[in-house]
Amino acid sequence: MTLETPATPHDRIDSAEQATQLERTWHSPGGLLGWFTHVNQRMIGKRFIITAFIFFLLAGILGILIRLQLAGPEQQFIGPELYNQFFTMHGTVMMFFFAIPVMEGFAIYFVPLMVGTRDMAFPRLNAFGYYVYLIGGIVLFGSLLLSMAPNAGWFNYVPLSSKLYSPGYGVDVWTTMITFIEVSALTAAVELIVTTLRMRAPGMSLNRMPLFVWAALVMSFMIVFAMPAVIVSSTLLILDRLVDTQFFIVEGGGEPLLWQHLFWYFGHPEVYIILVPALGMISTIIITFTRRPIYGYTALVLSVVAIGFVSFGLWVHHMFTTGLPQLGMSFFTAASVTIAIPSGVQIFCWIASLWGARIRFATPMLWVLGFFAIFVIGGLTGVMVASIPFDTQVHDTFFLVAHFHYVLIGGAVFPLIGATYYWWPKITGRMMSETAGKWSFWLAFIGFNVTFFPMHQLGLEGMPRRIYTYVEEMGWGDLNLLATIGSLVLATGFGVTLINAIWSVLRGRRAEPNPWGAPTLEWAADSPPASYNFRHIPVVESRWPLWDWEQAGERAVVTGLRHDRREVVLTSVLDAKPVGVQVLPAPTIWPFVSAVAASMGFIGIIFHPIFFVIAFFLVAFTLVAWFWPRRPWRDD
Ligand code: HEM
Ligand SMILES: [Cu+2]
């Protein structure tokens, strides 16, 4: 393997022949059975993204049904029991099955492209993670159709969720499926960390890494530290429920607050796990649509890292009304306010980048500007509820519902839709309609504020969250009706994007490799990228390789990789000096079989613990097949 600067890499004499051979090596098998064997990072990433958006749609429909039920006083459209299932499923699916997986999906798709490599570090593990996620989601949503859906809220507090107060299967489904799919979050995180640290194109030292890659790296580390907490808590709970351990049962010497500590030790970082990649998306979009290097690259990187760290020290602000000692709680107020500092650094760097720039107001940029407006409001109410006296007043009211939708939808969903418009041409090879994109944005922006702003007032007037109805005398009817109308406008806004996407796939204008004139490596690949991503692994000399190449008219590449095996370049962690070549494994069915076997254990345990033991042996068997050494890896 050598680094070279051929005049025009695409015109090298051997390249046509090379391309066919590369294509054959990296090709994913066709057919239905072939579909289950795919391990390619872009296939897996795309599946994560599509599946997550389907869950967004389903959970969104639940959100609309909730709003319809609350539109007027004393409505009987959804009864109390179903209402509990609906808000629990809405929250659970949005947080666990939409927000995190969709961010992972974008990272799995774009990190390898942005760092200039051909796949991820452990392609089979990647596929395994996807099937775990898919099966977990289907089982959880299936439980709603079988009327055994969880109904104890998305954070599933004990003692409500204990066997005594929640008999039936609902909570069992919640605990087992949450434990199960967090495995998938962990596999994605490990993949992303190793790929980012060891597989970057030569020359892409850490301080040249695109900001989205930084954000995905921080997200992955946060997943590694946060997810085990929820896996532990839900495992302890399932043990309490199935084999009568007493971890959370007071009569048996257990401690209910332990649940809240474990859950929020995961739960607070979770919202930042969703936010951090969104911050990376915003920086990426701002760079491209101002067409100049971002202001404060280092400050942006350090503040994302700081957000990652600090977010682990805030969890008790979810527990201000549980009667913990005052001094301890004051610490958590201070920490909660502190996180506004790195968040502010991000905002100010972006404002400085936009200042005086010739901004192109394309659709992705609009969603980013919408983010600014909404996220700042959500951040301010966040600082308000970090104050204990204020929080004690609004705890468990609609003020909170307003606050966290401002943060989650403003902070994550708006940038996410912007990023979807931005990267769409790369993923599909087609452009989306700009006109429809702008309609979608304005409908969603107005609809969002009409839905959620009145909830602040409702909360201050004392309307609790999680009530299926209210009496007329409370005077909450008008604002609730307004919020419901808003939610329909919001849904229409998202609907326009959905139609835009479908239309684009069928009829959209074809996209060139770099339609927005962006500077990062993913735009050096074809649209959509070839199965091997890059014909030649690029060599990078700055943070903006495509802008450099535009000026210089040439680019350096790696040569000497074999074309008959799945080879990728390994580089050193800090400076990305090439250190070797790694051969990646071929497509196989075993990750799928293994995920199915594992899921049998997690579903079966709800009915009898013995199924877990049986599944354990089945999984062990599939792993042997998965890792069985095959010929091509043994030659030379
Ligand atoms: C389509 C737009 C949405 C609408 C109309 C909507 C509506 C609502 C409403 C009315 C509630 C309160 C139910 C109650 O307390 O009685 C709620 C709860 C919640 N929502 Fe949304 N929401 C939407 C999108 C989202 C998104 C995108 C997320 C996360 C990424 C999200 C996460 C949550 C969570 C975590 C809860 C709390 C559930 C619980 O109390 O256990 N929502 N939503
Ligand atoms: Cu929090």
Side-chain angles (χ1 to χ4, degrees):
M1 180 188 60
T2 44
L3 310 187
E4 274 184 35
T5 314
T8 46
H10 279 282
D11 299 335
R12 291 166 62 89
I13 313 162
D14 55 345
S15 63
E17 192 189 319
Q18 263 182 15
T20 8
Q21 205 180 18
L22 269 177
E23 181 64 51
R24 211 175 313 128
T25 307
W26 289 89
H27 174 76
S28 299
L32 186 63
L33 199 64
W35 195 88
F36 290 98
T37 65
H38 292 177
V39 292
N40 175 286
Q41 137 266 331
R42 278 175 305 100
M43 305 266 186
I44 307 293
K46 205 150 79 177
R47 285 180 199 177
F48 262 105
I49 296 171
I50 293 172
T51 314
F53 272 119
I54 292 174
F55 281 124
F56 178 57
L57 181 71
L58 294 174
I61 291 172
L62 291 179
I64 299 291
L65 291 174
I66 292 172
R67 279 304 337 154
L68 290 176
Q69 163 64 23
L70 293 178
E74 291 174 75
Q75 294 203 95
Q76 292 301 329
F77 163 56
I78 303 174
E81 172 50 34
L82 206 55
Y83 189 86
N84 290 349
Q85 296 188 8
F86 277 13
F87 73 70
T88 302
M89 286 292 285
H90 167 78
T92 304
V93 172
M94 283 292 189
M95 300 302 274
F96 292 97
F97 293 81
F98 160 63
I100 293 187
V102 81
M103 293 301 178
E104 287 167 354
F106 272 98
I108 289 173
Y109 195 101
F110 283 105
V111 164
L113 284 165
M114 291 179 111
V115 304
T117 186
R118 287 182 172 155
D119 206 325
M120 295 188 88
F122 313 109
R124 292 182 174 182
L125 188 65
N126 216 2
F128 174 78
Y130 172 72
Y131 294 118
V132 165
Y133 162 53
L134 179 67
I135 297 170
I138 291 175
V139 172
L140 188 80
F141 232 95
S143 75
L144 190 62
L145 302 179
L146 300 175
S147 303
M148 39 191 263
N151 56 6
W154 87 276
F155 37 70
N156 209 38
Y157 278 172
V158 288
L160 175 62
S161 58
S162 65
K163 197 83 195 166
L164 184 60
Y165 299 105
S166 291
Y169 290 123
V171 172
D172 296 328
V173 172
W174 190 95
T175 38
T176 49
M177 284 307 116
I178 292 302
T179 311
F180 187 50
I181 71 140
E182 293 319 345
V183 172
S184 127
L186 286 170
T187 58
V190 169
E191 292 276 345
L192 286 164
I193 292 173
V194 179
T195 307
T196 309
L197 293 184
R198 295 312 307 274
M199 291 167 66
R200 299 196 307 277
M204 189 184 281
S205 49
L206 278 187
N207 61 352
R208 289 177 183 163
M209 234 160 65
L211 286 163
F212 179 73
V213 179
W214 267 111
L217 184 66
V218 172
M219 169 189 83
S220 306
F221 273 109
M222 292 176 74
I223 290 179
V224 168
F225 288 104
M227 293 305 174
V230 72
I231 293 183
V232 167
S233 60
S234 49
T235 305
L236 296 185
L237 181 59
I238 195 81
L239 289 174
D240 270 9
R241 292 179 57 90
L242 296 178
V243 295
D244 286 328
T245 53
Q246 310 281 316
F247 293 109
F248 302 118
I249 316 278
V250 178
E251 293 75 27
E255 170 58 275
L257 269 192
L258 174 64
W259 170 270
Q260 295 201 22
H261 280 295
L262 282 172
F263 185 88
W264 288 116
Y265 181 79
F266 142 83
H268 187 85
E270 145 131 23
V271 298
Y272 286 85
I273 289 172
I274 299 167
L275 180 69
V276 159
L279 301 178
M281 291 169 169
I282 293 164
S283 298
T284 310
I285 292 174
I286 288 182
I287 293 170
T288 298
F289 291 95
T290 56
R291 219 187 138 75
R292 58 183 195 183
I294 197 144
Y295 178 84
Y297 173 93
T298 314
L300 283 166
V301 170
L302 291 179
S303 58
V304 165
V305 175
I307 288 176
F309 269 104
V310 178
S311 69
F312 279 88
L314 313 185
W315 79 93
V316 172
H317 68 204
H318 296 268
M319 302 166 63
F320 280 159
T321 56
T322 55
L324 292 170
Q326 278 295 328
L327 187 64
M329 295 211 297
S330 320
F331 167 80
F332 284 94
T333 289
S336 303
V337 178
T338 312
I339 199 135
I341 297 171
S343 312
V345 170
Q346 300 270 325
I347 302 270
F348 284 116
C349 286
W350 291 327
I351 292 178
S353 305
L354 294 171
W355 203 267
R358 263 205 274 119
I359 307 170
R360 251 188 307 159
F361 289 98
T363 309
M365 196 62 212
L366 274 189
W367 290 93
V368 165
L369 295 177
F371 153 89
F372 275 100
I374 299 175
F375 185 70
V376 168
I377 297 179
L380 288 178
T381 53
V383 175
M384 288 163 81
V385 294
S387 138
I388 298 171
F390 185 82
D391 186 61
T392 318
Q393 286 300 311
V394 297
H395 180 75
D396 260 344
T397 69
F398 260 84
F399 191 90
L400 256 288
V401 177
H403 158 68
F404 65 70
H405 284 86
Y406 265 80
V407 187
L408 289 168
I409 299 187
V413 179
F414 269 59
L416 176 73
I417 308 280
T420 308
Y421 275 93
Y422 177 66
W423 277 320
W424 184 264
K426 182 55 56 191
I427 301 179
T428 62
R430 308 237 180 197
M431 304 299 288
M432 281 212 257
S433 152
E434 278 287 299
T435 321
K438 287 179 180 148
W439 270 97
S440 171
F441 167 77
W442 284 109
L443 284 170
F445 184 76
I446 294 168
F448 171 81
N449 285 294
V450 175
T451 312
F452 292 102
F453 201 80
M455 290 186 194
H456 292 110
Q457 179 64 24
L458 283 171
L460 293 175
E461 286 174 18
M463 180 174 171
R465 66 195 279 200
R466 298 176 169 175
I467 48 164
Y468 85 104
T469 194
Y470 49 91
V471 291
E472 199 174 345
E473 290 72 47
M474 300 309 294
W476 298 331
D478 295 345
L479 286 177
N480 268 304
L481 183 62
L482 187 64
T484 303
I485 294 171
S487 70
L488 296 174
V489 178
L490 174 63
T492 314
F494 288 140
V496 173
T497 289
L498 178 64
I499 294 169
N500 196 359
I502 296 172
W503 174 86
S504 158
V505 171
L506 301 176
R507 305 251 141 98
R509 189 161 54 80
R510 299 231 169 245
E512 315 98 73
N514 190 3
W516 311 114
T520 37
L521 287 179
E522 78 272 30
W523 301 102
D526 296 342
S527 297
S531 57
Y532 40 84
N533 287 354
F534 301 96
R535 192 173 297 176
H536 300 278
I537 301 294
V539 175
V540 173
E541 272 141 24
S542 84
R543 285 176 194 154
W544 330 107
L546 268 68
W547 290 346
D548 295 350
W549 297 341
E550 227 172 66
Q551 294 207 322
E554 60 164 28
R555 57 177 97 169
V557 296
V558 176
T559 53
L561 286 182
R562 282 175 59 163
H563 302 127
D564 56 346
R565 331 187 285 187
R566 299 189 166 210
E567 288 196 346
V568 291
V569 182
L570 292 189
T571 48
S572 61
V573 175
L574 296 181
D575 304 333
K577 294 223 168 64
V579 292
V581 167
Q582 175 73 31
V583 184
L584 297 180
T588 165
I589 190 91
W590 289 106
F592 170 71
V593 182
S594 193
V596 171
S599 73
M600 281 157 57
F602 279 87
I603 300 166
I605 193 174
I606 299 174
F607 304 100
H608 197 288
I610 189 71
F611 287 108
F612 205 75
V613 181
I614 299 173
F616 181 87
F617 286 103
L618 288 179
V619 172
F621 169 74
T622 62
L623 289 183
V624 172
W626 173 337
F627 290 105
W628 199 260
R630 286 253 302 277
R631 258 284 195 57
W633 325 126
R634 281 196 305 203
D635 66 11
D636 72 33

